[in-house]
Amino acid sequence: AARTMLPTFPAIFTVLVGMMEGVQPARASASSRSLKRTAIPPLLDVPTYSFATVGTDGKTGMNIMTYITPVGIKPDRIWALSIYKGTQTYDNFCLRKEGILQLLRRPHSRLVRLLGGKSGRDVDKQSACSELGFEWIPCPTSKTEGGDGSYDSATVGASEPMVIPGCKAYLRVSLQGELIDVGVHAVAICKVEEILVLDEDDQVINNLELKDGAPYLSTAYLRDLGIIDNSGRVADNE
């Protein structure tokens, strides 16, 4: 009878190595060709805030901030804020070491050119916001009298900033430690002292429906509207 010769292990090993050697270089070459260096970071979609602070004159200053992220939960909620140097907000925060973060909603998009593209040293942002339909209001916190919706007018405006109505949330934050120099920005590691949200019965501001279903304002939404460019700056297209 004819005998069937089975391939030996060395023969099988040789065949497998040959197959692998024929495939691996092609894969490595394809992978390396698909990557390239770039100085342009990916476009991210992040929440948009306005940071309310108080200056030496007791007046509220506001800007637009997007470089913000939570970095800790317990024992305290800790957030990192990146503040642009040379601004009134930066000077106010260095002075008071606290402020109120306001998580904006989409109807607030009309304020971004004003708050993010102009300086409070040159423009009365409070009056301009009022003209756009968002008159600043006191924000009752535990630092103001009562903390239950009432407030001390001598405290609000002197040490506590005014705020924009209808925001998704208000976070009172305070600096922990020293500012971290990162070039044109300074990073502030902040403790969230308290969080305030709108009462369910008070969800319509200036005829705008602002229930929980109203999305928070994001950078992708602002780019779609042409309000900011791909670098995150206020677009020069007015």
Side-chain angles (χ1 to χ4, degrees):
R3 298 177 61 186
T4 302
M5 300 297 292
L6 296 175
T8 62
F9 176 75
I12 296 175
F13 181 75
T14 302
V15 171
L16 289 175
V17 169
M19 293 174 63
M20 293 173 67
E21 288 179 345
V23 173
Q24 281 185 331
R27 287 180 178 174
S29 178
S31 176
S32 62
R33 286 200 303 268
S34 66
L35 296 175
K36 63 179 181 179
R37 291 183 175 85
T38 177
I40 303 173
L43 286 178
L44 302 178
D45 185 19
V46 298
T48 302
Y49 298 83
S50 177
F51 194 32
T53 55
V54 177
T56 55
D57 55 2
K59 292 183 178 179
T60 295
M62 292 194 194
N63 69 347
I64 293 295
M65 293 173 61
T66 58
Y67 292 176
I68 296 175
T69 186
V71 294
I73 299 177
K74 293 181 179 181
D76 299 307
R77 291 189 180 275
I78 304 297
W79 285 36
L81 287 61
S82 187
I83 307 172
Y84 199 79
K85 295 178 183 177
T87 61
Q88 191 172 53
T89 295
Y90 177 79
D91 292 343
N92 291 353
F93 188 73
C94 288
L95 172 70
R96 305 278 186 175
K97 296 178 171 48
E98 62 181 2
I100 297 178
L101 274 176
Q102 307 167 93
L103 178 54
L104 303 177
R105 302 196 201 221
R106 287 186 176 182
H108 295 120
S109 59
R110 69 184 70 174
L111 303 179
V112 171
R113 291 188 185 280
L114 167 66
L115 299 180
K118 300 182 185 300
S119 171
R121 300 186 181 100
D122 306 320
V123 177
D124 185 343
K125 292 187 177 182
Q126 183 171 1
S127 296
C129 280
S130 295
E131 293 175 3
L132 292 172
F134 290 94
E135 183 176 353
W136 294 359
I137 59 174
C139 183
T141 69
S142 61
K143 291 185 65 178
T144 61
E145 185 176 305
D148 56 358
S150 62
Y151 66 95
D152 179 2
S153 59
T155 302
V156 176
S159 61
E160 286 286 271
M162 306 287 279
V163 295
I164 300 167
C167 292
K168 187 86 171 176
Y170 303 88
L171 295 83
R172 186 167 67 85
V173 300
S174 63
L175 178 65
Q176 306 296 294
E178 301 296 327
L179 289 170
I180 303 170
D181 189 342
V182 291
V184 297
H185 286 80
V187 172
I189 303 300
C190 294
K191 175 184 175 182
V192 178
E193 301 288 354
E194 58 187 315
I195 304 172
L196 297 96
V197 295
L198 285 176
D199 188 275
E200 291 182 358
D201 297 326
D202 188 20
Q203 296 282 342
V204 178
I205 305 294
N206 300 333
N207 297 318
L208 297 172
E209 188 73 14
L210 295 172
K211 295 185 182 297
D212 274 344
Y216 64 79
L217 186 60
S218 71
T219 51
Y221 183 77
L222 291 172
R223 285 194 296 267
D224 289 343
L225 293 179
I227 295 176
I228 64 172
D229 58 26
N230 288 348
S231 70
R233 296 179 178 274
V234 172
D236 186 18
N237 56 7
E238 288 187 297

